Amino acid sequence: MHNGTTITQFIIEEQRKIEGATGDFTSLLNDIVTACKVISNMVNKGELIGVLGSAGSENVQGETQKKLDILTNEVFLRSNEWAGHLSAMASEEMDEIYEIPGQYPRGKYLLTFDPLDGSSNTDVNVSVGTIFSILRCPGERVCPNLDAFMQPGVQQVAAGYALYGPSTMMVLTTGNGVNGFTLDQDIGEFILTHPDMTIPADTREFAINASNMRFWEAPVQRYVNECLAGTEGPRGEDFNMRWIASMVAEVHRILTRGGIFMYPVDDKMKATGTEGKLRLMYEANPMSFIVEQAGGASSTGRERIMEIAPKDLHQRVPVILGSKNEVERVVGYHAETAAEA
Ligand code: P6P
């Protein structure tokens, strides 16, 4: 059960510990929470309100947009543009940055978000989520530009996700551990139900889209084959596999019981000049912040994700994250392969 601490109370009490906190950050987080409540309601109603299916358009990634991709993006913009805490926003669903309109004051933060990650799952009623990341706006807030967003993940001041599953949950870090909140639909409040979430260092559960196996690089082939070899193989233990095709759901499982999630770069991606599937600024970085704050690790296989100097707003990166000892094993295999080369 729980002691009834709401997410608002939790955030305020957290901010009280920070000297000079003005309440801006608390208010920004609460606007994000409100947006996630609205999205939860929209996703939950689904076809009852006609929001499923394709919008008949493509996003900057060239991916077909679902109606919910566009609707949830609008929810995030409207909920966060007016209060004066942000100078600009960036979204998976928008080619360019969104500068706060002139009728509203501008503030000291930047917000990046994927309004509905895993949206291909909405039509088949599988869990989806929202991912967000908060950065400080450097220099002049009056006219933030794309460069203002080009900050490595270690510069994030907060990151979180909402998971629209059997329960709607929010998981949040402000750099002081990871805490999970469950939406009490009866009162419309997120309640602290998973304080101080931590990822076990070891796991026997891996998540990867195995349909790409023939394209994987050698270190990933080696790691997955060793897991599949089970007790007869070099690991000496059997492994379990999961793939939900919804990063938020995968990461939440890992936060709850451990595991390793991999979306590595592969030969098919290299052939088209892309460096991964998942986006750095609003998927990999916020999830890496959360995972590291929970005691896990997050790497491309070759470098710590949160240290990558971004080159582009919609840059894609390889992602290997979760239980620290397993991530470090995969990183070690990459290093061995590089040394052999
Ligand atoms: P695939 C969803 O589109 C997403 O960005 C992540 O949430 C998910 O982990 C991945 O892509 C799924 O990719 O190739 O299995 O559809």
Side-chain angles (χ1 to χ4, degrees), residues 35 80 83 103 139 144 178 208 210 227 262 301:
N80 288 291
Q103 69 262 38
V178 178
I208 194 166
C227 291
M262 295 174 281

Side-chain angles (χ1 to χ4, degrees), residues 17-246:
K17 299 171 191 172
I18 299 171
E19 195 170 332
T22 62
D24 251 3
F25 189 64
T26 298
S27 178
L28 168 58
L29 283 174
N30 277 306
D31 293 344
I32 292 168
V33 167
T34 300
C36 291
K37 289 178 186 176
V38 173
I39 293 171
S40 172
N41 182 268
M42 205 180 270
V43 167
N44 183 263
K45 287 203 165 47
E47 203 45 27
L48 289 173
I49 56 174
V51 295
L52 298 186
S54 169
S57 54
E58 285 189 349
N59 65 16
V60 64
Q61 334 282 346
E63 296 165 336
T64 302
Q65 285 181 304
K66 297 287 189 183
K67 290 178 196 166
L68 277 169
D69 285 322
I70 295 170
L71 292 168
T72 55
N73 192 65
E74 280 301 305
V75 167
F76 244 74
L77 295 179
R78 300 295 81 82
S79 188
N80 288 291
E81 66 181 347
W82 57 273
H85 308 308
L86 296 172
S87 276
M89 297 186 243
S91 164
E92 175 181 326
E93 302 307 328
M94 301 186 297
D95 297 3
E96 310 298 331
I97 67 169
Y98 179 84
E99 290 187 34
I100 298 302
Q103 69 262 38
Y104 301 122
R106 290 184 175 182
K108 57 188 171 184
Y109 296 108
L110 301 172
L111 177 64
T112 70
F113 57 91
D114 181 356
L116 201 64
D117 182 68
S119 58
S120 61
N121 284 315
T122 48
D123 296 353
V124 295
N125 202 23
V126 168
S127 299
V128 291
T130 297
I131 309 170
F132 65 89
S133 169
I134 300 174
L135 297 162
R136 285 187 185 80
C137 184
E140 275 311 301
R141 302 172 198 162
V142 175
C143 51
N145 54 25
L146 176 61
D147 286 347
F149 284 86
M150 295 294 99
Q151 302 178 45
V154 291
Q155 297 295 327
Q156 295 173 98
V157 292
Y161 62 77
L163 175 59
Y164 313 112
S167 297
T168 288
M169 285 194 68
M170 279 200 84
V171 169
L172 176 67
T173 186
T174 57
N176 187 27
V178 178
N179 292 280
F181 305 81
T182 303
L183 181 61
D184 183 334
Q185 308 275 1
D186 293 334
I187 60 173
E189 278 290 353
F190 280 101
I191 305 294
L192 178 64
T193 50
H194 296 68
D196 194 23
M197 299 182 84
T198 52
I199 300 174
D202 294 300
T203 182
R204 293 297 172 265
E205 188 164 69
F206 68 96
I208 194 166
N209 182 339
S211 70
N212 297 318
M213 184 177 284
R214 63 190 184 283
F215 302 118
W216 294 339
E217 295 180 314
V220 175
Q221 296 271 2
R222 174 182 173 189
Y223 177 77
V224 172
N225 285 330
E226 288 180 352
C227 291
L228 296 176
T231 49
E232 289 84 53
R235 301 299 303 272
E237 294 195 67
D238 289 335
F239 278 67
N240 194 15
M241 191 195 125
R242 287 284 184 275
W243 189 250
I244 307 174
S246 179

